[in-house]
Amino acid sequence: MTTRTIRARDRPVFGVDVHSGDVRGDSPSYALVILDPVDEDDPDAPDADGPMARVTRDVVSFRKLCRLIDDREPLYVATDNAYELAADKGELVGFLRSLPDGTRLVQVTGAERPEPLSRVASRHGIPYGKKPMKEAEASARLAAANVGHEVTAFTDETTVKVSRGRSTGKGGWSQDRYTRRIHGNVRKRTRQVQSKLKEANLPFERDVTEKYGGYANATFTVAARPEDIPVSNSRAGDVRVEVERERRDGIEYEPLVKRRDRVIVGIDPGTTTAAAVIGLDGTVHALYSSRTGDTAEVTEWIVEQGRPIIVAADVEPMPETVEKFRRSFDAAGWQPTTDLPVDEKLHRTREAGYDNDHERDALAAALYAFDDHEDQFERIAAKTPPRLDRGAVIAGVVAGDSSVEAVIEDLSEDDDGGGDGEGDEAESDPTEPERTEEEETIHRLRERVDRLESHAESLEADLDERDDRIAELEGELEEAKREERIEARTRRAVSRLERETDRLERERDEARERVEDLERKVETLKELWRLDHSNFGDVAEGQGLVSVKVVEQFTLDALDAADEAYGLVAGDVVYLRDASGAGRRTAERLAETDPRAVVRGEGNLSDVADEVLFERSVPVVPADAVPVREVDELAVASEEDLAAAVDDWEERAEERRRDEKAERIDRIISEHRAGRTLPETEK
């Protein structure tokens, strides 16, 4: 088992072994090992030489084990003995029925007569220990390597039953209409299920019980597992749908890995390596392509598809990479006399689906190799006795470079001397009379006729399907033409609107450019004006006005900005547009400039700022008393209004000083009295 084996899976693998207790007793516990797949680009992905998956170990009860199986839906639940999970056959069937779709119970030690787990683990190079957790991990790793047998109690057929979801009742005035509605809904749901099964190309048989107004029930027997059927258990209103697999007569064990058939492989090497596998009858089995896959990964993928007897290339001479694949499988090689043209490869692969040109080239090589050997395959099949494997004979002749008679003789000797029991039993069956040569010929011809008739029916079905597809495509073509006409009209309208939008955007850009030019001219005029009137006092001289310097807000930043713009010097009249919010530092900063007066606009001074300005004898007058007129960055006020407001402030300041002085004297007297009477009070 390689690292790639685990990483290729997209679902976890559970390994289970009894940890304590007994399944026939009360509350057994189980050692559980979970192997989670890890992507190669995952930063936590283990190295190729290290563990092959992220391993989780735990001890759980049977109920928790079932809950984890339902939640995680593992690919395999592996154990060394299936009856460690069930006390008898009935419980085992119930456990198998409870498994999620796609989850399989695997007994890694064999079928009805299991081998010791230690022997199986040693044979496949899996670490083994006698503790339950070690045995559970060994079981999980063996199942991940496709070692073991699937334990099944069901066939690959599934029954889908559509029936009434409620009783038709005991009668009444509307009994007939009620019954007709229920049966009609059952018939409608039956047709929906049948349509889904046909869309999924699943073969099925239908059995219907007709009743008044529709169907009482319908049963579909589908040749597929529940996970492959696009219908699930449901109950809605009048209809109930039940999906259940067909039971076998008993418990059966099926190997996880089936016998691999002989195949033809086409390979296209390069930066992107592609491979195609087809059967000996020319049927396409699988396609593969990868930019990152190495030779080992491609080889492993081919091994999973079958046993190659021919490895083909689409160019001449055969590339060295393809030759290495041929030698590794000990297969015959095929190459064209000249490189296959692209148009011929397109024509030969026209009925197959592929994802890229590399897969097309690999598939074309395999198909042309089949065409070259098809007559030889038919001649070998005609000479092969019915009791021998036709693929084995073809492999011996094509890959082994032997004659048909020699290969048949060798295979017959193997069957006589050391074949499996089934071959000996079939060959020595006394109830089957020997056929004469004419009877053998007739038998082979009849089989060939049956194959040809089946092929003809398949071709007719393909033709019918192709006609339906052509009609469907014609309808889609008409719809596409109609949509194209609508789209063309839409494009014309959009083009017209885009032209109109471009015109309006040009006009907008031109208008913006004119505005920018005018703004630059205004800024230039302002700058020239400032140069002519650098001293604000010159503007107001001889007009009974005084210049005022505006500060937007009573903050340090605003004071610095005003000082930088036109300077704050002693004797200035400062207008605070917003006088609120200043602290001691801001008030001291303003007082340091020794202004003549401060005109207060909106907001009131804080108590701290008012105290600082009062102590520094800075007059603060309201804007109502001294109206400030602003023209751009120039502000002026009436000298007469300012002088009157300053005189008024001086009067109020003097009165405030007298009040404060009187208050201090009163406080001193009060403190003095309190100090003199204190001893008497204490006494």
Side-chain angles (χ1 to χ4, degrees):
M1 179 174 60
T2 64
T3 302
R4 191 178 293 104
T5 305
I6 291 292
R7 289 176 176 169
R9 306 197 183 281
D10 56 356
R11 293 162 61 188
V13 176
F14 282 15
V16 181
D17 192 59
V18 174
H19 185 269
S20 63
D22 191 308
V23 70
R24 296 167 183 80
D26 294 330
S27 302
S29 62
Y30 292 90
L32 172 64
V33 174
I34 302 176
L35 301 182
D36 281 307
V38 179
D39 294 331
E40 292 183 356
D41 54 354
D42 190 331
D44 297 330
D47 296 330
D49 297 330
M52 291 170 290
R54 188 177 291 112
V55 182
T56 305
R57 300 176 179 86
D58 198 4
V59 177
V60 299
S61 64
F62 182 76
R63 179 174 297 180
K64 185 176 180 180
L65 173 63
C66 295
R67 202 161 55 240
L68 286 172
I69 292 173
D70 290 338
D71 292 341
R72 300 292 303 277
E73 296 185 1
L75 182 65
Y76 299 138
V77 177
T79 179
D80 59 344
N81 190 341
Y83 284 96
E84 289 183 349
L85 297 170
D88 53 29
K89 185 182 294 185
E91 289 188 8
L92 183 58
V93 172
F95 179 76
L96 293 172
R97 181 180 286 111
S98 68
L99 293 178
D101 295 338
T103 298
R104 294 187 279 179
L105 176 63
V106 177
Q107 184 169 291
V108 298
T109 52
E112 289 85 357
R113 297 181 181 178
E115 297 179 83
L117 179 60
S118 58
R119 186 184 305 169
V120 178
S122 176
R123 185 164 61 243
H124 292 86
I126 301 298
Y128 170 80
K130 292 186 177 181
K131 293 184 178 180
M133 195 64 70
K134 293 291 186 181
E135 291 192 347
E137 183 170 350
S139 298
R141 293 192 179 278
L142 286 168
N146 290 327
V147 176
H149 288 69
E150 178 188 0
V151 183
T152 177
F154 305 93
T155 67
D156 287 337
E157 288 190 351
T158 304
T159 300
V160 180
K161 186 176 181 180
V162 184
S163 59
R164 295 180 299 215
R166 54 167 60 99
S167 173
T168 55
K170 297 181 180 180
W173 288 101
S174 302
Q175 175 66 25
D176 289 342
R177 184 168 64 253
Y178 180 71
T179 302
R180 188 169 63 250
R181 189 195 73 184
I182 293 177
H183 290 164
N185 288 335
V186 172
R187 179 174 58 189
K188 180 180 178 181
R189 183 62 176 147
T190 298
R191 291 173 176 172
Q192 292 174 352
V193 171
Q194 181 173 338
S195 176
K196 290 183 178 180
L197 294 177
K198 286 184 177 180
E199 291 176 358
N201 293 324
L202 296 176
F204 64 91
E205 295 180 0
R206 192 187 75 166
D207 185 19
V208 173
T209 302
E210 296 187 4
K211 290 291 185 179
Y212 175 63
Y215 299 156
N217 59 69
T219 302
F220 295 89
T221 303
V222 188
R225 294 191 174 198
E227 61 265 26
D228 300 326
I229 297 176
V231 180
S232 59
N233 290 318
S234 64
R235 182 167 185 169
D238 301 329
V239 185
R240 176 175 58 192
V241 179
E242 297 174 329
V243 180
E244 185 175 1
R245 291 183 65 180
E246 290 286 337
R247 273 288 310 275
R248 297 182 186 271
D249 294 335
I251 302 295
E252 293 188 8
Y253 300 82
E254 298 178 357
L256 292 180
V257 179
K258 303 295 190 298
R259 182 178 65 86
R260 295 182 295 116
D261 294 329
R262 270 76 174 181
V263 294
I264 300 173
V265 178
I267 297 177
D268 179 57
T271 304
T272 298
T273 301
V277 175
I278 66 174
L280 298 184
D281 57 352
T283 303
V284 179
H285 287 183
L287 297 173
Y288 168 91
S289 62
S290 174
R291 291 179 59 88
T292 59
D294 54 9
T295 302
E297 182 175 341
V298 178
T299 301
E300 185 172 347
W301 180 83
I302 294 173
V303 169
E304 291 176 355
Q305 306 305 317
R307 289 181 282 185
I309 64 172
I310 299 175
V311 175
D314 65 332
V315 295
E316 191 278 329
M318 179 178 288
E320 181 62 25
T321 304
V322 182
E323 177 63 21
K324 289 181 180 179
F325 281 110
R326 186 198 67 78
R327 289 197 300 267
S328 65
F329 291 113
D330 195 19
W334 183 90
Q335 62 186 23
T337 54
T338 58
D339 294 355
L340 294 177
V342 175
D343 56 345
E344 292 185 8
K345 289 188 284 190
L346 288 171
H347 179 75
R348 187 62 184 88
T349 60
R350 66 190 184 282
E351 296 181 356
Y354 48 82
D355 294 335
N356 50 60
D357 294 344
H358 306 286
E359 292 184 1
R360 179 204 64 198
D361 293 346
L363 179 59
L367 291 173
Y368 273 105
F370 168 75
D371 295 341
D372 201 18
H373 287 83
E374 184 176 10
D375 294 339
Q376 183 185 15
F377 291 167
E378 292 181 357
R379 290 195 302 270
I380 295 173
K383 295 180 180 180
T384 302
R387 59 186 177 84
L388 295 181
D389 182 7
R390 182 174 66 94
V393 178
I394 293 176
V397 174
V398 177
D401 197 17
S402 301
S403 65
V404 179
E405 291 76 11
V407 174
I408 292 175
E409 183 178 354
D410 291 340
L411 293 176
S412 299
E413 289 177 357
D414 292 340
D415 287 344
D416 292 339
D420 56 16
E422 295 179 0
D424 296 341
E425 187 177 357
E427 187 175 356
S428 60
D429 187 359
T431 62
E432 183 177 349
E434 290 190 13
R435 296 174 181 169
T436 64
E437 184 177 353
E438 291 80 5
E439 289 175 339
E440 289 289 349
T441 303
I442 293 173
H443 179 70
R444 286 196 300 270
L445 292 175
R446 285 178 177 173
E447 288 183 346
R448 188 171 182 181
V449 169
D450 291 339
R451 288 197 303 270
L452 292 174
E453 289 179 349
S454 176
H455 185 58
E457 292 176 357
S458 176
L459 292 177
E460 290 177 355
D462 291 343
L463 287 175
D464 294 338
E465 183 178 353
R466 187 169 299 178
D467 291 339
D468 295 339
R469 180 61 177 163
I470 289 173
E472 181 182 353
L473 291 175
E474 288 177 348
E476 292 178 0
L477 179 61
E478 291 297 327
E479 180 67 19
K481 289 181 178 178
R482 186 181 66 83
E483 292 178 356
E484 179 65 25
R485 290 192 293 270
I486 295 175
E487 187 176 354
R489 289 196 296 269
T490 304
R491 284 197 299 268
R492 288 195 295 270
V494 169
S495 299
R496 185 173 62 255
L497 293 175
E498 287 178 348
R499 289 194 298 271
E500 180 67 16
T501 302
D502 293 340
R503 184 184 63 79
L504 294 175
E505 287 179 350
R506 286 194 301 272
E507 293 179 358
R508 180 202 61 193
D509 295 338
E510 293 173 357
R512 286 178 176 175
E513 290 177 358
R514 288 196 299 272
V515 169
E516 291 175 357
D517 292 339
L518 293 174
E519 288 178 347
R520 284 194 296 270
K521 291 180 180 178
V522 169
E523 290 297 328
T524 303
L525 292 174
K526 285 183 178 180
E527 193 66 29
L528 294 174
W529 186 90
R530 291 193 193 98
L531 292 175
D532 293 339
H533 305 83
S534 57
N535 186 356
F536 280 17
D538 296 342
V539 180
E541 186 177 355
Q543 301 182 17
L545 300 175
V546 62
S547 63
V548 179
K549 296 183 178 179
V550 180
V551 178
E552 295 297 330
Q553 193 173 6
F554 199 5
T555 61
L556 289 173
D557 292 340
L559 290 173
D560 292 340
D563 191 13
E564 183 179 355
Y566 30 74
L568 297 178
V569 297
D572 284 342
V573 178
V574 178
Y575 173 45
L576 297 177
R577 196 183 302 279
D578 182 0
S580 62
R584 178 175 295 277
R585 285 187 57 200
T586 306
E588 291 175 350
R589 171 73 174 82
L590 179 61
E592 288 174 357
T593 62
D594 192 18
R596 177 184 175 187
V598 175
V599 181
R600 174 174 53 81
E602 297 179 355
N604 296 320
L605 291 173
S606 64
D607 294 340
V608 174
D610 182 68
E611 183 68 24
V612 170
L613 295 176
F614 177 74
E615 290 176 355
R616 299 291 186 91
S617 299
V618 177
V620 179
V621 299
D624 296 339
V626 183
V628 177
R629 290 174 289 174
E630 297 183 60
V631 179
D632 290 336
E633 297 178 359
L634 176 66
V636 295
S638 171
E639 176 69 33
E640 182 180 353
D641 292 342
L642 179 63
V646 170
D647 293 340
D648 181 63
W649 180 86
E650 292 287 353
E651 294 177 0
R652 287 186 284 105
E654 184 64 28
E655 184 178 355
R656 178 176 174 180
R657 292 189 189 96
R658 287 196 301 271
D659 293 341
E660 290 181 352
K661 185 175 181 180
E663 184 179 353
R664 283 197 302 272
I665 293 173
D666 291 341
R667 186 168 60 253
I668 292 171
I669 294 172
S670 299
E671 292 175 353
H672 180 69
R673 288 175 178 174
R676 290 179 57 188
T677 58
L678 183 59
E680 297 178 359
T681 304
E682 291 179 352
K683 184 177 179 180

